[in-house]
Each structure stands twice: as structure tokens, then as C-alpha cells.
Amino acid sequence: MSSYIVTTDHLTKRYGERAVVEDLNLRVPEGCVYGFLGPNGSGKSTTMKMLLSLIRPSSGQVRVLGEPMTRATRRRLLGRIGSLIESPPGYGHLTGAENIGLVRRMLDLEQRQIDLAVRTVRMQDQMDKKVREYSLGMKQRLGIAMALARQPKLLILDEPTNGLDPAGIEEIRRLLRHLADGGVTVMVSSHLLGEIDKTATTLGILAGGRLLFQGTRAELFAAATPDVLIGTADPQRAQALLSGQHDARIDEGLLRLCGLSPDATAQVVSHLVRAGLGIYEVRRQEQSLEDVFMDLTGGGGL
Amino acid sequence: MTLMSMIAAEFAKLARSLSWTVVVLLPAAMVLAGALSSLVAGQQPADGWHTVWLRSVVFYGLFPLAIGVAVLGSLVWRAEHRGGNWNALMSTPVSSLRLVAAKTAVIAALAMAMQLVMLLCVTVAGKAVFALPGMLPARYLLISGVIMLATVPLAALQSGLSMLLRSFAAPVAVAFLGAGASTVLLLAEIGPIVFLSPYALATRATQLGTGTFADGGEIAGATVGSLLAATALLSLVTIAGAAAILDRRDTRT
Ligand SMILES: Nc1ncnc2c1ncn2[C@@H]1O[C@H](COP(=O)(O)OP(=O)(O)O)[C@@H](O)[C@H]1O
Ligand SMILES: [Mg+2]
């Protein structure tokens, strides 16, 4: 099991009666880009904070880099973990260079490590400006540079593309791929599938504090049952015949049924044929990853 | 990750900070107010340096010192409560004890700098305004040394409050109430209060050798000894307490 850099077992966080994160069993393979997806309020930030022991779980365990992450171990483990949670850090009254200089002092890093981190996020020409004058994208990149300066084994980024323009988003994507190629495991959250879809090699999908899916993109496609489309002479009558048993919609003259197993498909077809309806075609429609994501998360809050 | 590199980082955060303005203006205003009250009354300070000292430092110790340290504490912690800074700070491998100790050291250093500015302003007032003979007597340097040490627990307490409370004003209000209550207890000559209240300790130290409140007017070895013992005790307890709280606490959203 040592191939996982982060694992959680039955990880739960409750505020009062309400479980914000519930029974989460994350498995983050070493060296991957793990896309942590979920609508706003689904518990992504809360989970990431528990991975860093910024907040303590109500129940369940977190293991990071092969060790339990607790208040007793966190200071040791955090030296090998870079993170950016919720909003980017930075002291507005100081320049970018002064800000990252603080990180160098606090962590006893070498200037070489700082320069490398700054060049990686392409901020070398902005370091003499005060952080107060930075755009959001520049703040995010400085925050990532601060997280990278310690040359972490694991990078945890919470919605790093939030508020960025398409060029900024593409820049972050390229950066994440570059880091993963260099052997860093990256866990990155987003509420928009499109932002990390092509970058992530493993996906975890969260909704309402529960993990709905975890695996590769290919596994996600396989897990989702494509809709069944039926072409018939009288779609209205077919719909009426199936009402009560199946939720059939009429879509561009075709009958659309979702979540239908192969057996159920056979039953539906024989039912319609016995009722004397002519069936012209029966096929399954491939879904886009976006549709799968929307189906899983109920499209809520996006 | 040594304590020294943490303290160096904390001092670097003070660049272009309002803290330095507080450090200069508060003692200067205290001395100016003391000198003005003498001038308005049209008198020379009756007991020379002693009177100038009384009118500035003892008054400063009643509550402006506590308010000043509280403001410095809030200024030093303010930036940590902004944006992603808290999460970033708590995601470093620096231990809670080191972090708390470094913040306390910076606030204490600013408080000590206030006392140095105070010494300078009293000297300037004595020479330039009242043309007092000689220099400020050496005993006031010794007293200032004790005052500077005795503000460390105050710095630790205000640092802890500003760490826990996001509000700028709340820790200042606590200091105001704490200093007020402590002054009442000192007036009632309840000496051991310096072992319980950092406010009382700092106030009592500013009265050292002046004969005001419970002070005998001498710099008695026993008095200095108990002030220093209280300083050591309260510093350790407050810093350890703040570090323990920080270690247990969840980060806020
Ligand atoms: N300290 C807290 N107290 C109570 N509820 C909280 C707290 N922090 C987060 N929540 C709630 O937990 C849910 C998940 O929040 P969060 O983890 O920030 O979601 P996400 O990052 O996916 O948008 C939200 O409904 C939020 O209101
Ligand atoms: Mg969030």
C-alpha cells in the first residue's frame, strides 16, 4: 500500500450535528495529479485542511507520506508538503521578494531553491512589486511559489485556478503537469471539471461531503451508464406505456432512458414490442465527462 | 527553523509597519503631556529629574503602556489574520511554541524600544525644556532595565489575545480593563498581584524607586527580585499557554 502518498480512512468532520465531510476513503497514488472535484460547499477545502491537520477530524484517520497526520506529527510532515488553501497568502505591505524571503528565513532554505520556485511560476519579473498591487493570478502564482520553495514531495492546491482568466488557468495546468513530471504528487481541487479534467490522472468526486467516485478518467466513463435512446413510431405512446416503471423523456423524437441496465433494456424493448410499437433503433449515447460529472453530483451548486 | 530565524522573519514583516510610529509617538506624547502640565502650572519641576520622571513614566505605566503594547500586538498579528496567511503559517513545519515565542519576542522588543524612546524624551525634556542640572541619574537607567523586562509577560499576553481574536480592538479593550483593574489592586497595596497579572507587573515596574503607590522610594533588592521572578514566571506560563492553545486549535474559515 506504500504506493499511496495520501490515504484517509472513514474521515469525517462534523460541525454540530451536520457532517460536512463523511466517511471519506481517499487513495492518492504517488506521482499522480489527483483532481479533487466537487460543487461549492461539497467539503473539498475541509478535507484538504484535515490532510494538513489545519483542522482535526471528528473521526477517522489521515495518513500522509506513510505516517499518520496528527497534531503530534504534523510539524515534521509539513516540511515535505507544500500547500495553498482557499485564498493565497502574502503580506500586502511587502514586495513579492520580501514575502518569499520570509519563507526562506522561516524554513532555512537556500536562495537557489527560492529562485527555482519563482522561475517555475514565472514570477521573476514581478518580485519587486508590493503584493498589494498584484492581480489575483499573480497572488496565486506567488502562493504556489511559496509552497514550492521547500521542494515538497506532495503539493496540495485548493482551487488554484479560481478567479483566473483562461490564459492563467492554462498556465497553472501546464505548471501542474510540469511538477508531476518532476516527481511531485499534486492534489488539486476544483468545482469545475473542465479546469483539471485534462491534467488530472486520477479523479476523486465529492458531493455533499461524500466521495461519489474515485479512479481514473477511463474508470469514470466505465462507471457511468450511458443513456439508452429508442427510436419508435409513437414516442408519446411509448412514454405512456413505460410510465410508472421508468423515467422516460422524449428528446428530439427519441425516447431517452437513463441508468438502464442491459437486462432492463431488454425488458423495455420487449414490453414495447408486445404492445405493438415499431422499434426502429435502440442505442446507447456516449456521455461527455462533463455529463458524467453533472449526473454524479446532481449538478448542484455549480 | 531555529528560533532566531523565526524572529528574524518576524522582524522583516515589520518593514514599513505602523508599529514604529507607535513606538516613537506614544512615549513622546507622554513626556510632552507631563512637561506641558508643568509649564502650564508655571512651575519648575520641584524635585528636578524625579518630578519629570514621575509625570511621564509613572503616568505612562498606569494604562498607556498596556494600551500601547496591545496596539503593537494587534498590529503584529493583523496581517496573519488576512487572506490565506493563517493557513500558510499553520502549514509550515515551525512548531507552535517557536511561533508564539517569536511573535512575543518581536512585540516585547517593540515595547522595550518604547522605553528607550521614553528615556530619550525624558532626557530631552529635562535638559531642553527645564534646563535641569546634570544628566538623568543612572538609577533611571536601572529602573528602565527592570521596566523593559517586566513588559515581556505583557507582550506575551497581548500577543496571545491578538492571536486568538481576529478583531484589532478587542485585545486593546482587554488591556484597558486589565490595566484599570490592576491599578486599583496596586492602589489597595495588594503586592502579590504582580505574580498574577502582567498588567500589574508592568505598572508596578514603572513605579519602581518613585515612592508612588506601594513603592517605598528606594530601589530595594527584594522588590526588584520579586519583579524579576514574576517576570520569569508569567512569561513562561503565558507563552506556554498560548502555544498549547494554538496547537489544539482548528484554523478558522
Ligand atoms: N467552521 C465551520 N463551521 C460550520 N460549517 C462549516 C465550517 N467550515 C465549513 N463549513 C461548511 O462545510 C461545508 C463545506 O465547506 P468547504 O469544505 O469549504 O467546501 P468546498 O471547499 O468544497 O467549497 C459548507 O457547507 C460550509 O458552510
Ligand atoms: Mg473551498
Side-chain angles (χ1 to χ4, degrees):
Chain A
M1 287 292 110
S2 61
S3 57
Y4 294 121
I5 195 161
V6 176
T7 63
T8 69
D9 287 306
H10 307 291
L11 187 65
T12 300
K13 182 71 183 179
R14 270 182 225 96
Y15 286 113
E17 288 292 284
R18 188 167 157 242
V20 172
V21 170
E22 207 171 355
D23 202 28
L24 225 57
N25 297 304
L26 294 180
R27 297 287 178 269
V28 179
E30 190 157 1
C32 76
V33 175
Y34 187 99
F36 195 39
L37 286 163
N40 286 322
S42 57
K44 303 180 298 293
S45 298
T46 303
T47 303
M48 287 177 147
K49 285 179 196 165
M50 286 193 280
L51 299 185
L52 295 162
S53 194
L54 287 172
I55 57 177
R56 289 186 289 181
S58 306
S59 60
Q61 276 98 45
V62 175
R63 288 179 73 86
V64 180
L65 295 156
E67 276 188 72
M69 172 62 102
T70 65
R71 286 294 155 107
T73 59
R74 67 166 163 172
R75 298 301 186 183
R76 187 155 32 88
L77 290 170
L78 286 171
R80 288 180 285 159
I81 308 171
S83 61
L84 183 63
I85 301 294
E86 286 184 330
S87 36
Y91 301 103
H93 66 291
L94 302 179
T95 64
E98 287 167 335
N99 267 285
I100 203 152
L102 291 174
V103 175
R104 183 176 63 77
R105 277 212 183 87
M106 274 174 64
L107 306 184
D108 279 335
L109 303 175
E110 288 166 28
Q111 191 57 40
R112 179 186 56 79
Q113 295 171 292
I114 299 291
D115 293 341
L116 180 66
V118 169
R119 270 197 316 270
T120 306
V121 298
R122 300 196 211 193
M123 282 289 286
Q124 61 272 27
D125 297 331
Q126 314 291 343
M127 297 308 280
D128 294 330
K129 257 193 224 162
K130 292 224 182 90
V131 166
R132 193 190 287 138
E133 288 149 23
Y134 277 9
S135 67
L136 180 59
M138 286 155 74
K139 283 185 189 157
Q140 300 274 33
R141 275 148 67 197
L142 180 69
I144 295 174
M146 289 173 162
L148 282 177
R150 66 191 82 168
Q151 295 184 311
K153 287 283 297 164
L154 171 65
L155 191 62
I156 296 182
L157 301 176
D158 188 17
E159 309 225 20
T161 49
N162 232 2
L164 298 192
D165 56 18
I169 293 171
E170 186 49 42
E171 174 104 40
I172 300 271
R173 275 201 204 117
R174 220 178 304 139
L175 175 63
L176 299 188
R177 271 194 294 265
H178 171 76
L179 290 170
D181 291 343
V184 181
T185 307
V186 183
M187 181 174 184
V188 55
S189 74
S190 180
H191 64 281
L192 297 173
L193 175 74
E195 284 186 0
I196 49 174
D197 169 20
K198 294 182 187 67
T199 322
T201 47
T202 309
L203 295 169
I205 297 179
L206 198 66
R210 289 178 163 278
L211 197 62
L212 299 180
F213 170 84
Q214 181 170 244
T216 61
R217 281 158 45 86
E219 284 165 350
L220 179 58
F221 275 123
T225 323
D227 288 357
V228 170
L229 296 176
I230 301 175
T232 158
D234 191 347
Q236 272 80 16
R237 203 175 141 231
Q239 188 183 26
L241 278 168
L242 294 174
S243 72
Q245 299 164 53
H246 298 283
D247 184 21
R249 277 177 294 137
I250 299 172
D251 188 357
E252 292 174 10
L254 295 171
L255 207 59
R256 178 186 286 274
L257 295 113
C258 50
L260 220 56
S261 69
D263 281 351
T265 309
Q267 277 167 21
V268 164
V269 170
S270 74
H271 183 55
L272 294 178
V273 169
R274 265 188 273 115
L277 274 168
I279 305 288
Y280 305 144
E281 65 169 317
V282 177
R283 63 185 160 94
R284 288 198 182 258
Q285 188 182 49
E286 278 312 319
Q287 286 175 289
S288 72
L289 204 50
E290 196 72 41
D291 293 333
V292 175
F293 178 55
M294 290 299 231
D295 282 352
L296 275 173
T297 59
L302 288 166
Chain B
M1 280 160 268
T2 62
L3 182 56
M4 282 324 288
S5 40
M6 270 304 286
I7 293 176
E10 287 301 325
F11 267 107
K13 289 182 196 170
L14 290 182
R16 293 183 285 279
S17 160
L18 217 54
S19 312
W20 299 108
T21 318
V22 174
V23 164
V24 173
L25 285 191
L26 181 66
M30 288 295 111
V31 175
L32 189 67
L36 275 180
S37 70
S38 292
L39 286 176
V40 167
Q43 320 155 326
Q44 267 296 94
D47 279 328
W49 289 109
H50 179 69
T51 307
V52 178
W53 186 264
L54 262 184
R55 290 204 170 149
S56 16
V57 179
V58 175
F59 179 61
Y60 165 70
L62 290 184
F63 73 91
L65 169 60
I67 304 264
V69 175
V71 168
L72 293 173
S74 286
L75 282 173
V76 164
W77 277 100
R78 181 170 60 168
E80 311 298 357
H81 295 300
R82 287 205 182 131
N85 288 345
W86 188 272
N87 284 333
L89 194 63
M90 296 314 289
S91 305
T92 62
V94 178
S95 76
S96 302
L97 181 60
R98 285 223 171 99
L99 182 60
V100 165
K103 286 281 188 202
T104 300
V106 169
I107 298 165
L110 290 168
M112 290 180 184
M114 277 205 296
Q115 185 59 31
L116 294 179
V117 175
M118 184 59 106
L119 267 178
L120 183 72
C121 291
V122 167
T123 308
V124 169
K127 295 306 289 181
V129 182
F130 302 113
L132 294 177
M135 278 311 288
L136 181 71
R139 69 194 305 257
Y140 295 109
L141 300 184
L142 177 64
I143 296 171
S144 291
V146 176
I147 295 175
M148 285 161 77
L149 290 174
T151 49
V152 174
L154 180 58
L157 178 60
Q158 291 303 140
S159 169
L161 289 171
S162 294
M163 170 186 92
L164 294 176
L165 305 169
R166 227 193 265 225
S167 148
F168 190 94
V172 179
V174 172
F176 189 75
L177 296 175
S182 296
T183 296
V184 170
L185 292 169
L186 284 173
L187 260 179
E189 305 206 358
I190 300 173
I193 187 64
V194 300
F195 285 94
L196 289 178
S197 158
Y199 303 109
L201 175 61
T203 301
R204 179 66 190 83
T206 60
Q207 295 161 359
L208 185 64
T210 62
T212 51
F213 290 72
D215 193 78
E218 302 300 309
I219 306 181
T223 310
V224 173
S226 67
L227 289 181
L228 295 184
T231 296
L233 178 77
L234 286 177
S235 301
L236 285 179
V237 169
T238 315
I239 290 173
I245 292 172
L246 185 61
D247 221 31
R248 274 168 189 69
R249 231 167 179 250
D250 277 3
T251 174
R252 288 125 325 158
T253 30

